[in-house]
Amino acid sequence: MARRILPGLSLTLGITLMYVAIIVVLPLGALIFKAASLGPEDYWRIVSSERATASYRVTILCALAATLFNLVFGMALAWVIVRYRFPGRRFIDALVDLPFALPTAVAGIALTTLFASNGWFGAPLAAIGIKVAYTPLGIIIAMAFTSLPFIVRTVQPVLEELDPALEEAGQTLGASDLEIFLRVILPQLAPALLAGLSLSFARSLGEFGAIIFIAGNQPFDTEITALLAFIRLEEYDYPASAAIASVMLIAAFTMLAITNLLQARALRYTVKG
Amino acid sequence: MAKSKSRRPPRIGDAPVFRNTMIAVVLTLVALVIIAPLAVIGYEAFSRGIAYFGKTIANSDTRHAILMTALTALIAVPINTAFGVAAAWAITKFDFPGRRLLLIVIEIPFSVSPIVAGVAYLFVYGLQGLFGETLQSADIKILFALPGIVLASMFVTAPFVARELIPLMQAQGRDLEEAATSLGASGWRTFFFVTLPNIKWALLYGVILCNSRVMGEFGAVSVVSGNIRGQTNTLPLHIELLYHDYNAVGAFAAASILAALAVVTLIAKVALERRGAGRVRRPSLAGTAPDISETTP
């Protein structure tokens, strides 16, 4: 009886449901409807075509490599920001979010220019025989750039709240720093780290803007799945575009479920008994 | 200072050699990975001097793209904000079945690729979509026009404001609002004089992040806009056009506007975080706040 003394439920819930229905559910429903109307045979033919599977391979492998890079760099970045005090620390902390703030198209042309064979990084790399722009390496760099903040921002708060007593216990028991890191600190970071990894990987799977400039976009070689969906659209092959987009949607939902699971675990870890 | 330092035994990784190496490596990587892309934008934009930069920005297509982007943000951001506030109020001030599901649905756009979002909108408003023929016979243009761009922008930013407000309002509880209404204040009065002062920084934080994403959105908008030069090109799309025209200076000049916006957004973000915004979102110790701590743009 006393539960609902506040006004505005019907108004705010009405607005919320209407917005979610029109903006989020309707288009995704339309996409699923379109893909489903293809029929299982046609659908399978499109999503398992050689060009499509090649694009999945490129996307997944590059996303894995980018996530691996971010695992190392993101961890190091979070560690340095949390554990050390040095001039410019706050500046670095703020800069971590730049990849999220910078529009993907802007990041795309900037990275391409840096890594082109006459660019600041591309020229010296070309001199030692490494080609980045228009190769899978370029895709990896674009993916790593756009998803960098995830791991830093998931690990950072956990690292801040680590109990020094546990490390001290390790020290008094005679463990080396490396042993303490691997067996005391890392297990505490693991849930947050896993959640950050899955966020980073999911973002890399769906990234488009930053990649298409640097990728070269050669079918079978440097063509990501998002681009293939876009190309089918430009060719007016709408069923194929719907089918490929639906595969990406399924992948996104799978990653969302995994992330939520990992995050629920991470949350359980953070709760102090 | 020195006293407290000496009392605490050194934590692992505090050995000077390790510490300094880590800082040096990380700072170098930050310079290469984060600062260099920003620097190259400025360098390329001004590579032919300030006068040329000014001329490029003043180009009528670029001016139109800036206008389109501003117009899109001017429509999408306020609607999004209203939605975010309404969603936060409904979810945190009342108990109803399906709250968790609603939270998940609001968060979905974060997980969906912008390209998928764009393609999905095509199948609603495009000629081959659900309402395509109806819209055409009524002569209403949504795709390849401003409404489509605004709708796609609203999709990708749907969670931005709600996500900042919900954990905060959840943590603040309902006592203040309940006291205000029981003293006879109307719902609006309660919101504006009791709730709003407590959430204003988080709200502003969400609005700024939402605006930054709307103005920079590329993938979803590139599907629904039709890329018509001087008509439906937003700034990010215009950058792509100029870049593929081999007009690198023009592309980077346009890009520098968005890069400047990104820097301003970051500064505002830091300033607001000092006022407590953006903090409650992290997995809360009490474990009561909804765990919508997914992404942190």
Side-chain angles (χ1 to χ4, degrees), chain B residues 6-248:
Chain B
S6 64
R7 206 186 284 170
R8 215 182 51 199
R11 298 180 72 175
I12 77 153
D14 279 356
V17 179
F18 182 78
R19 175 184 182 275
N20 294 338
T21 316
M22 281 293 282
I23 293 176
V25 169
V26 165
L27 287 186
T28 312
L29 274 172
V30 166
L32 293 178
V33 176
I34 302 179
I35 297 177
L38 203 55
V40 84
I41 297 165
Y43 178 83
E44 294 287 333
F46 291 103
S47 60
R48 289 211 214 159
I50 291 186
Y52 193 85
F53 174 86
K55 214 181 91 193
T56 320
I57 295 289
N59 169 287
S60 71
D61 284 346
T62 305
R63 277 207 329 255
H64 189 271
I66 295 172
L67 195 74
M68 279 297 283
T69 293
L71 204 57
T72 306
L74 226 50
I75 303 169
V77 176
I79 296 178
N80 224 316
T81 307
F83 158 71
V85 172
W89 183 270
I91 289 172
T92 62
K93 301 299 174 202
F94 304 99
D95 300 303
F96 53 88
R99 272 168 82 222
R100 290 222 142 245
L101 180 70
L102 188 56
L103 272 172
I104 292 172
V105 177
I106 292 174
E107 289 272 304
I108 282 177
F110 267 139
S111 321
V112 174
S113 170
I115 282 294
V116 175
V119 173
Y121 268 93
L122 214 61
F123 293 128
V124 180
Y125 303 105
L127 252 188
Q128 55 294 315
L130 293 178
F131 307 146
E133 282 175 27
T134 325
L135 288 169
Q136 200 188 31
S137 58
D139 210 18
I140 300 172
K141 226 171 143 44
I142 290 188
L143 278 192
F144 313 127
L146 187 66
I149 296 172
V150 171
L151 283 169
S153 303
M154 289 193 330
F155 177 93
V156 293
T157 54
F160 275 69
V161 175
R163 186 183 53 137
E164 298 301 329
L165 295 184
I166 291 171
L168 179 66
M169 285 167 67
Q170 186 89 4
Q172 287 173 347
R174 304 168 188 174
D175 296 353
L176 289 176
E177 284 84 2
E178 283 173 354
T181 37
S182 66
L183 290 173
S186 71
W188 292 109
R189 211 174 143 81
T190 305
F191 174 74
F192 281 110
F193 292 98
V194 178
T195 310
L196 193 58
N198 285 330
I199 61 165
K200 59 179 184 231
W201 299 123
L203 180 63
L204 188 59
Y205 189 85
V207 169
I208 285 172
L209 294 187
C210 175
N211 177 66
S212 153
R213 180 65 195 265
V214 167
M215 289 194 162
E217 179 50 34
F218 176 75
V221 170
S222 81
V223 176
V224 298
S225 83
N227 272 29
I228 307 163
R229 203 179 283 243
Q231 277 184 45
T232 61
N233 247 3
T234 61
L235 204 43
L237 299 176
H238 190 59
I239 290 170
E240 184 199 19
L241 235 154
L242 292 172
Y243 190 77
H244 286 150
D245 279 352
Y246 300 101
N247 183 354

Side-chain angles (χ1 to χ4, degrees), chain A residues 9-45:
Chain A
L9 175 64
S10 50
L11 175 71
T12 55
L13 191 58
I15 293 175
T16 306
L17 291 179
M18 203 171 75
Y19 190 93
V20 164
I22 295 175
I23 299 295
V24 181
V25 178
L26 173 69
L28 294 181
L31 173 63
I32 294 167
F33 176 75
K34 187 78 182 178
S37 66
L38 270 169
E41 252 169 62
D42 283 337
Y43 184 80
W44 182 249
R45 189 178 43 75

